[in-house]
């Protein structure tokens, strides 16, 4: 009898260990496929920006976007991940930073550790997303060298510093103010949109965008269907993006980035409801297919900060309002004499700002863990202000330095002739569609 009990105990222990291992493997595979879906975001940005470019610039716009991805991944390995681990308390380097050094054991092919590379990969794709957001705004007139420098700085320094402060379990914005932004509306979208705004001020508008009296001319892309399809691909990729914002804990529990309990259902309900609210909100405002699809993206971003707490119809309403307002914000940017070719400031900057503030307006009082302050409007406004200043200030200063050294903008003759003609050794459309004539 004692032997039978011992055998049964051993079998139960083995079953428990097997279950725990299965849970770990499922978690790691989950994030692996999140990364794969996040790459779809960049396929979407590629199509989106190429379609939004005139035929004479289409390949140059595509190359720029691809190179942003290619440069950010290695730079994020060498110093981006270290920044995230180093500065949650502010500008004091944390002990955990050692794990993010490029020569650390966890940053190599350690066969006992599947998780580090998976989480690093997800964050690297977040980083590449920030650069793609800025990339669309500056098409058709930026120098490749200047763009790559800006992309590396945004993707591997600026946004991840903001994430360390406000998208980290012990980030000072959370521990001091209860800041809440589970879907990275602030540290990804608000920072990237604000950074793009700072760059655009120094970059200046495309030739022919504004008349002498300050009125704006429409400069349409050469392929609106490609742009709309690209936007839909970005939406597909966002399911990987937002899936990577959830942490799986062995035992079947899911938490958000701050360690608060959540569920996959919350993310599924509110992502889809925010998306559809955004589609309808922008359609009601404009009847424009470009803005309708951009509005769907605004809707998701608007709901992102509180994906874990919204009642789904409320996520729909937040997305609807954010997307309804986005074209108005884009028009305000244009009236200020700023040429944002794809409305990135309105879509990402405004969407991220509204998402963060909405969480303070409608989720105030939501409890935090480890005796940290609850969610509050004050905390959300502080976080939004920090992200806005960090993004805009760094984008403006760095682009101003590049401008001073002649590295920011292509010469006027290259812009008029078309960047494909002057920078790319291949024709996008050797037959059929022809580039628009020079202005």
């Amino acid at each position: 009898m004692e032997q039978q009990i011992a055998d049964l105990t051993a079998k139960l222990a083995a079953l428990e260990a097997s279950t725990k291992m299965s849970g770990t493997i499922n978690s790691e595979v989950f994030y692996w496929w999140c990364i794969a879906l996040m790459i779809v975001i960049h396929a979407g940005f590629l199509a989106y920006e190429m379609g939004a470019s005139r035929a004479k610039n289409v390949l140059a716009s595509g190359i720029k976007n691809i190179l942003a991805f290619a440069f950010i991944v290695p730079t994020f390995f060498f110093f981006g991940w270290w920044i995230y681990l180093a500065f949650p308390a502010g500008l004091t380097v944390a002990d955990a930073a050692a794990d993010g050094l490029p020569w650390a054991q966890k940053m190599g092919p350690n066969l006992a550790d599947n998780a580090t590379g998976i989480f690093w990969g997800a964050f690297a794709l977040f980083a590449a997303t920030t650069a793609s957001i800025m990339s669309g705004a500056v098409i058709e007139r930026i120098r490749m060298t200047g763009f790559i420098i800006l992309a590396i700085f945004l993707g591997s320094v600026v946004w991840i510093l903001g994430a360390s402060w406000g998208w980290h379990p012990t980030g000072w914005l959370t521990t001091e103010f209860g800041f809440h932004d589970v879907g990275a509306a602030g540290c990804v979208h608000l920072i990237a949109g604000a950074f793009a705004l700072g760059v655009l001020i120094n970059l200046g508008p495309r030739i022919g965008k504004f008349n002498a009296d300050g009125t704006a001319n429409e400069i349409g892309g050469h392929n609106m269907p490609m742009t709309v399809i690209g936007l839909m691909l970005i939406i597909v990729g966002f399911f990987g993006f937002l899936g990577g914002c959830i942490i799986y804990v062995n035992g079947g529990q899911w938490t958000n980035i701050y360690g608060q309990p959540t569920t996959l259902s919350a993310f599924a309900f509110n992502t889809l409801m925010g998306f559809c609210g955004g589609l309808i909100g922008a359609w009601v405002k404009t009847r424009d297919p470009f803005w309708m699809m951009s509005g769907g993206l605004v809707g998701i971003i608007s709901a992102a900060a509180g994906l874990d707490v919204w009642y789904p119809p409320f996520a729909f309403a937040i997305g609807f309002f954010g997307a309804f307002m986005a074209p108005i914000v884009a028009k305000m940017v244009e009236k200020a004499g700023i040429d944002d070719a794809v409305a990135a400031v309105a879509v990402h900057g405004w969407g991220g700002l509204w998402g963060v503030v909405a969480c303070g307006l409608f989720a105030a009082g939501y409890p935090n863990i480890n005796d940290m302050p609850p969610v509050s409007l004050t905390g959300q406004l502080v976080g939004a202000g920090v992200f806005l200043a960090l993004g805009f200030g760094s984008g403006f200063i760095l682009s101003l330095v590049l401008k001073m050294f002649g590295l920011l903008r292509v010469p006027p003759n290259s812009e008029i002739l078309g960047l494909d003609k002057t920078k790319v050794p291949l024709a996008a459309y050797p037959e059929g569609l022809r580039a628009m004539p020079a202005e």
Side-chain angles (χ1 to χ4, degrees), residues 10-29:
K11 288 179 180 178
L12 288 173
L15 180 61
E16 182 178 353
S18 176
T19 301
K20 183 178 292 187
M21 176 61 71
S22 176
T24 299
I25 292 171
N26 288 337
S27 169
E28 290 161 351
V29 170

Side-chain angles (χ1 to χ4, degrees), residues 47-400:
Y48 173 38
E49 293 179 26
M50 291 173 75
S53 299
R54 287 167 287 183
K56 64 181 182 178
N57 296 312
V58 61
L59 289 180
S61 294
I63 289 171
K64 174 172 59 62
N65 195 289
I66 294 168
L67 284 177
F69 186 99
F71 276 94
I72 284 172
V73 170
T75 55
F76 197 81
F77 179 87
F78 286 117
F79 50 83
W81 189 234
W82 178 86
I83 290 173
Y84 179 71
L85 298 178
F87 298 114
L91 296 178
T92 303
V93 178
D95 293 338
D99 289 338
L101 292 169
W103 52 82
Q105 184 180 19
K106 288 189 175 183
M107 299 299 285
N110 181 357
L111 298 181
D113 176 14
N114 292 319
T116 298
I118 293 293
F119 280 104
W120 167 83
F123 274 74
L125 269 293
F126 292 138
T129 297
T130 63
S132 288
I133 291 168
M134 184 263 296
S135 175
V138 300
I139 56 174
E140 301 196 310
R141 74 270 203 203
I142 196 168
R143 280 189 181 273
M144 188 69 75
T145 302
F147 170 75
I148 291 172
I149 292 170
L150 288 164
I152 290 171
F153 194 66
L154 172 58
S156 292
V157 178
V158 177
W159 96 270
I160 196 62
L161 180 60
S164 186
W165 293 347
W167 206 51
H168 187 289
T170 60
W172 67 269
L173 285 173
T174 302
T175 59
E176 299 297 322
F177 295 97
F179 183 71
H180 194 83
D181 182 21
V182 300
C187 65
V188 169
H189 301 281
L190 175 53
I191 286 180
F195 188 97
L197 179 61
V199 172
L200 287 169
I201 290 172
N202 289 311
L203 180 64
R206 289 167 289 179
I207 295 172
K209 175 63 180 177
F210 294 105
N211 300 312
D213 62 359
T215 56
N217 297 309
E218 180 69 24
I219 299 181
H222 82 290
N223 193 328
M224 181 55 66
M226 180 186 290
T227 292
V228 172
I229 291 170
L231 282 163
M232 181 58 88
L233 287 173
I234 294 172
I235 300 299
V236 173
F238 253 73
F239 279 84
F241 181 104
L242 295 172
C245 299
I246 311 174
I247 309 299
Y248 177 84
V249 180
N250 280 337
Q253 178 64 57
W254 295 85
T255 74
N256 60 31
I257 197 75
Y258 306 108
Q260 299 160 309
T262 189
T263 64
L264 285 173
S265 290
F267 277 61
F269 278 135
N270 291 326
T271 299
L272 287 171
M273 291 292 275
F275 172 44
C276 292
L279 286 172
I280 296 172
W283 177 75
V284 167
K285 177 62 180 171
T286 68
R287 301 300 196 272
D288 179 333
F290 167 80
W291 270 112
M292 184 178 72
M293 287 307 306
S294 294
L297 186 54
V298 176
I300 292 179
I301 297 167
S302 298
L307 278 176
D308 57 333
V309 299
W310 301 135
Y311 174 55
F314 201 71
F316 179 93
I318 290 172
F320 181 99
F321 177 78
F324 185 89
M325 292 298 297
I328 299 173
V329 174
K331 186 60 68 175
M332 292 169 59
V333 171
E334 185 177 76
K335 285 185 176 180
I338 297 170
D339 180 14
D340 180 354
V342 297
V345 174
V347 171
H348 298 275
W350 155 249
L353 176 63
W354 165 236
V356 169
V357 173
C359 214
L361 289 171
F362 306 119
Y366 186 72
N368 221 315
I369 63 171
N370 300 329
D371 298 320
M372 292 188 286
V375 177
S376 68
L377 179 58
T378 299
Q380 295 303 105
L381 290 175
V382 169
V386 168
F387 289 163
L388 184 62
L390 178 63
F392 179 81
S394 57
F396 182 85
I397 292 171
L398 180 56
S399 61
L400 180 60

